Amino acid sequence: MERGGDDEWSAWLDYDGDDGPSLPEGSSVDPEQPSVEEGSGDPEEQTQKNTRGRSKRNDITKMVSEGKKIEIEYNHYGQHWGTGGTAKVTRIGAWVRTNIPLRDITWPKVSQDLKNQLWEHIKVAFDVPDTDKRMTIAKGGDRWKDWKSTLTEEWREFVDSRLSPEFGVKRKRAQESRACNLYPHRTGRGGVRMIQEQMEKEVGHQITEFDRSEIWKRSRTKSNGEVEGPTAEVVKRIKSFLIRKIG
C-alpha cells in the first residue's frame, strides 16, 4: 500500500526521543487490519508474554543467508503492517537488545553510528525504501525503551526474591553443603576433559586409560601449580602411595 502525503508523513514521524512516534491529530488506522506499530510491537509477544522467550526470528537469518528479503506493506500513514511488518519489529527488537548499550539514558543519546547500523541491518533482511529509515530508527527507540523497562522490572523482582525468607533458607543450606566440600576442583568450564586433552598433548598420543589419581590432583591444582588446604595433604598421600607402589 502506498504511503500518505508528505505532510501526514512528516507529522507522523515527529519523534522526541522519549515518547515514541504518534499519529497526526484526527488520524485513525484502518480498523480491518491494525498496525503492528500500536502498543509494544509484536502482537505475539503481548499475548504470550509469560509463556515464551524473546523472539530472534532465526528464520529471517536463514533467508538473509540465502539472499532473500521480506517484503513490507504500508498503510496510508506510512505504518508497516502484516506479517512482514511484524517480522521487522521483531528483528529490530532483537538487534537493539544485543547492540545498544544500556548506559545511554535516552534514545537521542545513542550514537548515530549505532542507529545507522540498525538501519543497515534491517535493509539486508527487508525490502524497504530509503524513506523508511527514520521510522525504523524511531521504532528501534521504542523497542529499546521497552527492553530497558523489562530489565528494570525483572531486576526488581530478582532482588525481591533474593531478599525473601525462603531464599535465605535455601542460601544457608547451599553454604552448609559447600562447606562440606573439602576438595573443590579448579577445572573451570573445561572440566575433566580439558585435563585429559592436556595429558594427551604431553605424551603425544591418545590415552586409553587415564590415571584417576593424576586427574584428581590436576583438577584441584591452581594455575600457578600450588595446592592448598586439605587438598595438599591428599596430594602428599597420593605421591607417597605411588612411590611405595613403584618400589
Side-chain angles (χ1 to χ4, degrees):
M1 184 175 292
E2 296 181 357
R3 301 174 182 273
D6 291 339
D7 291 339
E8 276 189 333
W9 178 238
S10 298
W12 198 87
L13 280 175
D14 285 340
Y15 180 67
D16 60 7
D18 186 48
D19 296 327
S22 58
L23 287 171
E25 184 176 354
S27 299
S28 61
V29 181
D30 187 346
E32 294 184 0
Q33 187 165 0
S35 168
V36 295
E37 295 289 333
E38 297 178 352
S40 63
D42 190 340
E44 189 177 357
E45 287 187 3
Q46 297 179 41
T47 58
Q48 301 184 23
K49 184 175 181 180
N50 297 323
T51 59
R52 74 179 184 93
R54 299 179 179 92
S55 176
K56 293 184 178 180
R57 291 299 301 269
N58 292 327
D59 57 317
I60 300 178
T61 302
K62 181 179 179 181
M63 290 183 62
V64 171
S65 67
E66 296 172 349
K68 301 177 182 178
K69 289 188 177 183
I70 298 176
E71 294 185 0
I72 302 293
E73 294 182 272
Y74 297 88
N75 63 16
H76 54 284
Y77 292 115
Q79 297 172 296
H80 50 234
W81 63 352
T83 56
T86 300
K88 181 187 172 190
V89 170
T90 300
R91 186 79 166 177
I92 291 173
W95 193 90
V96 297
R97 289 196 302 268
T98 305
N99 296 278
I100 304 298
L102 295 173
R103 65 175 181 271
D104 296 294
I105 300 175
T106 60
W107 184 246
K109 290 187 178 181
V110 175
S111 71
Q112 188 59 44
D113 178 62
L114 283 173
K115 293 175 181 177
N116 290 337
Q117 289 181 40
L118 167 61
W119 171 238
E120 294 300 324
H121 179 73
I122 293 301
K123 284 201 304 180
V124 170
F126 298 89
D127 186 10
V128 291
D130 291 338
T131 51
D132 193 50
K133 178 178 180 179
R134 190 177 178 188
M135 175 58 62
T136 297
I137 293 176
K139 176 51 63 177
D142 290 341
R143 304 303 285 168
W144 183 68
K145 288 184 293 181
D146 290 343
W147 170 233
K148 290 202 299 182
S149 297
T150 299
L151 285 181
T152 300
E153 182 60 30
E154 290 181 351
W155 173 250
R156 288 171 178 167
E157 293 176 357
F158 172 77
V159 172
D160 289 342
S161 70
R162 289 301 185 266
L163 296 178
S164 67
E166 294 79 9
F167 182 78
V169 173
K170 291 175 61 177
R171 181 171 181 267
K172 185 177 180 180
R173 284 203 303 263
Q175 289 174 329
E176 292 173 348
S177 177
R178 183 174 180 81
C180 294
N181 183 9
L182 301 179
Y183 316 109
H185 69 79
R186 301 175 180 275
T187 57
R189 289 176 293 180
V192 172
R193 183 55 196 164
M194 181 182 67
I195 296 175
Q196 293 174 336
E197 290 177 354
Q198 181 61 37
M199 293 172 66
E200 289 178 333
K201 288 180 180 179
E202 292 174 1
V203 298
H205 60 79
Q206 184 177 3
I207 300 176
T208 57
E209 185 175 353
F210 290 92
D211 184 337
R212 293 178 60 186
S213 65
E214 180 65 16
I215 290 179
W216 190 94
K217 181 180 66 175
R218 292 194 183 206
S219 66
R220 288 158 177 81
T221 301
K222 298 173 64 175
S223 58
N224 60 5
E226 297 180 354
V227 289
E228 298 178 338
T231 302
E233 180 60 30
V234 175
V235 170
K236 289 180 180 179
R237 288 161 53 190
I238 290 175
K239 289 181 178 179
S240 177
F241 173 79
L242 292 176
I243 291 174
R244 292 198 305 270
K245 183 178 179 180
I246 295 174

Coordinates of all heavy atoms in Angstrom, one line a residue, residues 69-114:
K69 N 14.8 -11.4 0.7 CA 14.4 -10.3 1.5 C 12.8 -10.4 1.7 O 12.1 -11.0 0.9 CB 14.7 -9.0 0.9 CG 16.1 -8.6 0.9 CD 16.3 -7.2 0.4 CE 17.8 -6.8 0.5 NZ 18.0 -5.3 0.1
I70 N 12.4 -9.9 2.9 CA 10.9 -9.9 3.2 C 10.3 -8.6 2.7 O 10.9 -7.5 3.0 CB 10.7 -10.1 4.7 CG1 11.3 -11.5 5.1 CG2 9.2 -10.0 5.0 CD1 11.2 -11.7 6.6
E71 N 9.2 -8.7 2.0 CA 8.5 -7.5 1.6 C 7.7 -6.9 2.7 O 7.1 -7.6 3.5 CB 7.6 -7.9 0.4 CG 8.3 -8.3 -0.9 CD 7.4 -8.5 -2.1 OE1 6.2 -8.3 -1.9 OE2 7.9 -8.8 -3.1
I72 N 7.6 -5.6 2.7 CA 6.9 -4.9 3.7 C 5.7 -4.1 3.1 O 5.8 -3.5 2.1 CB 7.8 -3.8 4.4 CG1 9.0 -4.5 5.1 CG2 7.0 -3.1 5.5 CD1 8.7 -5.5 6.2
E73 N 4.5 -4.2 3.7 CA 3.3 -3.5 3.3 C 3.2 -2.2 4.2 O 3.5 -2.3 5.4 CB 2.1 -4.3 3.4 CG 2.1 -5.5 2.4 CD 0.8 -6.3 2.5 OE1 0.7 -7.2 3.3 OE2 -0.2 -5.9 1.8
Y74 N 2.6 -1.2 3.7 CA 2.4 0.1 4.4 C 1.0 0.5 4.3 O 0.4 0.4 3.2 CB 3.4 1.2 3.9 CG 4.8 0.9 4.1 CD1 5.6 0.2 3.2 CD2 5.5 1.3 5.3 CE1 6.9 -0.1 3.3 CE2 6.8 1.0 5.5 CZ 7.5 0.3 4.5 OH 8.9 0.0 4.7
N75 N 0.4 1.1 5.3 CA -0.9 1.8 5.2 C -0.7 3.2 4.8 O 0.4 3.7 4.5 CB -1.7 1.6 6.5 CG -1.0 2.4 7.7 OD1 -0.1 3.2 7.5 ND2 -1.4 2.1 8.9
H76 N -1.8 4.0 4.7 CA -1.7 5.3 4.2 C -1.1 6.3 5.1 O -1.0 7.5 4.8 CB -3.1 5.8 3.8 CG -4.2 5.7 4.8 ND1 -4.7 4.5 5.2 CD2 -4.7 6.7 5.6 CE1 -5.6 4.8 6.2 NE2 -5.6 6.1 6.5
Y77 N -0.7 5.8 6.3 CA 0.0 6.7 7.3 C 1.5 6.3 7.3 O 2.3 6.8 8.1 CB -0.5 6.6 8.7 CG -1.9 7.2 8.8 CD1 -3.0 6.3 9.1 CD2 -2.1 8.5 8.6 CE1 -4.3 6.9 9.2 CE2 -3.4 9.1 8.7 CZ -4.5 8.2 9.0 OH -5.7 8.8 9.1
G78 N 1.9 5.4 6.4 CA 3.3 5.0 6.3 C 3.7 4.0 7.4 O 4.8 3.6 7.5
Q79 N 2.7 3.4 8.1 CA 3.0 2.4 9.1 C 3.1 1.0 8.4 O 2.3 0.7 7.5 CB 1.9 2.3 10.1 CG 1.7 3.6 10.9 CD 0.4 3.4 11.8 OE1 -0.7 3.4 11.2 NE2 0.6 3.4 13.1
H80 N 4.1 0.3 8.8 CA 4.2 -1.1 8.2 C 3.3 -2.0 9.0 O 3.0 -1.8 10.2 CB 5.7 -1.6 8.3 CG 6.3 -1.5 9.6 ND1 7.5 -0.8 9.7 CD2 6.0 -1.9 10.8 CE1 7.9 -0.9 11.0 NE2 7.0 -1.5 11.7
W81 N 2.8 -3.0 8.3 CA 1.8 -3.9 8.9 C 1.9 -5.3 8.3 O 2.7 -5.5 7.4 CB 0.4 -3.3 8.8 CG -0.2 -3.1 7.4 CD1 0.5 -3.3 6.2 CD2 -1.5 -2.8 7.1 NE1 -0.3 -3.0 5.2 CE2 -1.6 -2.7 5.7 CE3 -2.7 -2.5 7.8 CZ2 -2.8 -2.4 5.0 CZ3 -3.8 -2.2 7.1 CH2 -3.9 -2.1 5.7
G82 N 1.0 -6.2 8.7 CA 1.0 -7.5 8.2 C 2.2 -8.3 8.7 O 2.9 -7.9 9.6
T83 N 2.4 -9.5 8.2 CA 3.4 -10.4 8.7 C 4.8 -9.9 8.5 O 5.7 -10.1 9.3 CB 3.3 -11.8 8.0 OG1 3.4 -11.6 6.5 CG2 2.0 -12.5 8.3
G84 N 5.0 -9.2 7.4 CA 6.3 -8.6 7.1 C 6.6 -7.5 8.2 O 7.7 -7.4 8.7
G85 N 5.6 -6.7 8.5 CA 5.8 -5.6 9.5 C 6.1 -6.2 10.9 O 6.9 -5.7 11.6
T86 N 5.4 -7.3 11.2 CA 5.6 -7.9 12.5 C 7.0 -8.5 12.6 O 7.7 -8.4 13.6 CB 4.6 -9.1 12.7 OG1 3.3 -8.6 12.7 CG2 4.9 -9.8 14.0
A87 N 7.5 -9.1 11.5 CA 8.8 -9.7 11.4 C 9.9 -8.6 11.6 O 10.9 -8.7 12.2 CB 9.0 -10.4 10.1
K88 N 9.6 -7.4 11.0 CA 10.6 -6.3 11.0 C 10.7 -5.8 12.4 O 11.8 -5.5 12.9 CB 10.1 -5.2 10.1 CG 11.0 -4.0 10.1 CD 10.5 -2.8 9.3 CE 11.3 -1.6 9.4 NZ 10.7 -0.4 8.9
V89 N 9.5 -5.6 13.1 CA 9.6 -5.1 14.5 C 10.3 -6.1 15.4 O 11.1 -5.7 16.3 CB 8.1 -5.0 15.0 CG1 8.1 -4.7 16.6 CG2 7.4 -3.8 14.3
T90 N 10.1 -7.4 15.2 CA 10.8 -8.4 16.0 C 12.3 -8.3 15.7 O 13.1 -8.4 16.6 CB 10.3 -9.8 15.6 OG1 8.9 -9.9 15.9 CG2 11.0 -10.9 16.5
R91 N 12.7 -8.2 14.5 CA 14.1 -8.1 14.1 C 14.8 -6.9 14.7 O 15.9 -6.9 15.2 CB 14.2 -8.0 12.6 CG 15.6 -8.1 12.0 CD 16.1 -9.5 12.0 NE 17.4 -9.6 11.2 CZ 18.1 -10.7 11.0 NH1 17.7 -11.8 11.6 NH2 19.1 -10.7 10.3
I92 N 14.0 -5.8 14.7 CA 14.6 -4.5 15.3 C 14.8 -4.7 16.8 O 15.8 -4.4 17.4 CB 13.6 -3.4 15.1 CG1 13.5 -3.0 13.6 CG2 13.9 -2.2 16.0 CD1 12.5 -1.9 13.3
G93 N 13.8 -5.4 17.5 CA 13.9 -5.6 18.9 C 15.1 -6.5 19.3 O 15.8 -6.2 20.2
A94 N 15.3 -7.5 18.5 CA 16.4 -8.4 18.7 C 17.8 -7.7 18.6 O 18.7 -7.9 19.3 CB 16.4 -9.6 17.8
W95 N 17.8 -6.8 17.6 CA 19.1 -6.1 17.3 C 19.4 -5.1 18.4 O 20.6 -5.1 18.9 CB 19.1 -5.4 16.0 CG 20.4 -5.0 15.5 CD1 21.3 -5.6 14.7 CD2 21.0 -3.7 15.8 NE1 22.4 -4.9 14.5 CE2 22.3 -3.7 15.2 CE3 20.7 -2.6 16.5 CZ2 23.2 -2.6 15.2 CZ3 21.5 -1.5 16.6 CH2 22.8 -1.5 16.0
V96 N 18.5 -4.3 18.8 CA 18.7 -3.3 19.8 C 19.1 -3.9 21.2 O 19.9 -3.4 22.0 CB 17.6 -2.3 20.0 CG1 17.4 -1.5 18.7 CG2 16.3 -3.0 20.4
R97 N 18.4 -5.1 21.5 CA 18.7 -5.7 22.8 C 20.2 -6.2 22.8 O 20.8 -6.3 23.9 CB 17.8 -6.9 23.0 CG 16.4 -6.6 23.3 CD 15.6 -7.8 23.8 NE 15.6 -8.9 23.0 CZ 14.7 -9.2 22.1 NH1 13.7 -8.4 21.9 NH2 14.8 -10.3 21.3
T98 N 20.7 -6.5 21.7 CA 22.1 -7.1 21.6 C 23.2 -6.0 21.4 O 24.3 -6.2 21.9 CB 22.2 -8.1 20.4 OG1 21.2 -9.1 20.5 CG2 23.6 -8.8 20.4
N99 N 22.8 -4.9 20.7 CA 23.9 -4.0 20.3 C 23.8 -2.6 20.9 O 24.8 -1.9 20.9 CB 23.8 -3.8 18.8 CG 24.1 -5.1 18.0 OD1 25.2 -5.4 17.8 ND2 23.0 -5.8 17.6
I100 N 22.7 -2.2 21.5 CA 22.6 -0.9 22.1 C 22.9 -0.9 23.6 O 22.3 -1.6 24.3 CB 21.2 -0.2 21.9 CG1 20.8 -0.2 20.4 CG2 21.1 1.2 22.5 CD1 21.7 0.6 19.6
P101 N 24.0 -0.2 24.0 CA 24.3 -0.2 25.4 C 23.3 0.4 26.3 O 22.6 1.3 25.9 CB 25.6 0.6 25.5 CG 25.5 1.5 24.3 CD 24.8 0.7 23.2
L102 N 23.2 -0.2 27.5 CA 22.2 0.3 28.5 C 22.6 1.6 29.2 O 21.8 2.2 29.9 CB 21.9 -0.8 29.5 CG 21.3 -2.1 29.0 CD1 21.2 -3.1 30.1 CD2 19.9 -1.8 28.4
R103 N 23.9 2.0 29.1 CA 24.3 3.1 29.8 C 23.7 4.4 29.3 O 23.7 5.4 30.0 CB 25.9 3.2 29.7 CG 26.4 3.5 28.3 CD 27.9 3.7 28.3 NE 28.4 3.9 27.0 CZ 28.8 3.0 26.1 NH1 28.7 1.7 26.5 NH2 29.2 3.3 24.9
D104 N 23.3 4.5 28.0 CA 22.6 5.7 27.5 C 21.3 5.8 28.1 O 20.4 4.9 28.1 CB 22.5 5.5 26.0 CG 23.9 5.5 25.3 OD1 24.6 6.5 25.3 OD2 24.2 4.4 24.7
I105 N 21.0 7.0 28.7 CA 19.8 7.3 29.4 C 18.6 7.4 28.5 O 17.5 6.8 28.8 CB 19.9 8.6 30.3 CG1 21.1 8.4 31.2 CG2 18.7 8.9 31.0 CD1 21.4 9.6 32.0
T106 N 18.7 8.1 27.4 CA 17.6 8.3 26.5 C 18.1 7.9 25.0 O 19.3 7.9 24.7 CB 17.1 9.7 26.5 OG1 18.1 10.6 26.1 CG2 16.6 10.1 27.9
W107 N 17.1 7.6 24.2 CA 17.4 7.2 22.8 C 18.2 8.3 22.0 O 19.1 7.9 21.3 CB 16.1 6.9 22.1 CG 16.3 6.4 20.7 CD1 15.9 7.0 19.6 CD2 16.9 5.1 20.3 NE1 16.2 6.2 18.5 CE2 16.8 5.1 18.9 CE3 17.4 4.1 21.0 CZ2 17.3 4.0 18.2 CZ3 17.9 3.0 20.3 CH2 17.9 3.0 18.9
P108 N 17.9 9.6 22.2 CA 18.7 10.6 21.5 C 20.2 10.5 21.8 O 21.0 11.0 21.0 CB 18.1 11.9 21.9 CG 16.7 11.6 22.2 CD 16.8 10.2 22.9
K109 N 20.6 10.0 23.0 CA 22.0 9.9 23.4 C 22.7 8.7 22.7 O 23.9 8.6 22.8 CB 22.1 9.9 24.9 CG 21.7 11.2 25.5 CD 22.0 11.2 27.0 CE 21.7 12.5 27.7 NZ 22.0 12.6 29.1
V110 N 21.9 7.8 22.2 CA 22.5 6.7 21.5 C 23.2 7.2 20.2 O 22.6 8.1 19.5 CB 21.5 5.6 21.1 CG1 22.1 4.5 20.2 CG2 20.8 5.1 22.3
S111 N 24.4 6.8 19.9 CA 25.2 7.3 18.8 C 24.5 7.1 17.5 O 23.8 6.1 17.3 CB 26.6 6.7 18.8 OG 26.5 5.4 18.3
Q112 N 24.7 8.1 16.6 CA 24.1 8.0 15.2 C 24.7 6.8 14.5 O 24.0 6.2 13.6 CB 24.3 9.3 14.5 CG 23.6 9.3 13.1 CD 22.1 9.2 13.3 OE1 21.5 9.8 14.2 NE2 21.4 8.4 12.5
D113 N 25.9 6.5 14.8 CA 26.6 5.3 14.1 C 25.8 4.0 14.4 O 25.6 3.2 13.5 CB 28.0 5.2 14.6 CG 28.7 4.0 14.0 OD1 28.8 4.0 12.7 OD2 29.1 3.1 14.7
L114 N 25.4 3.8 15.7 CA 24.7 2.6 16.0 C 23.3 2.6 15.4 O 22.8 1.6 14.9 CB 24.5 2.5 17.6 CG 25.7 2.1 18.4 CD1 25.5 2.2 19.8 CD2 26.0 0.6 18.0

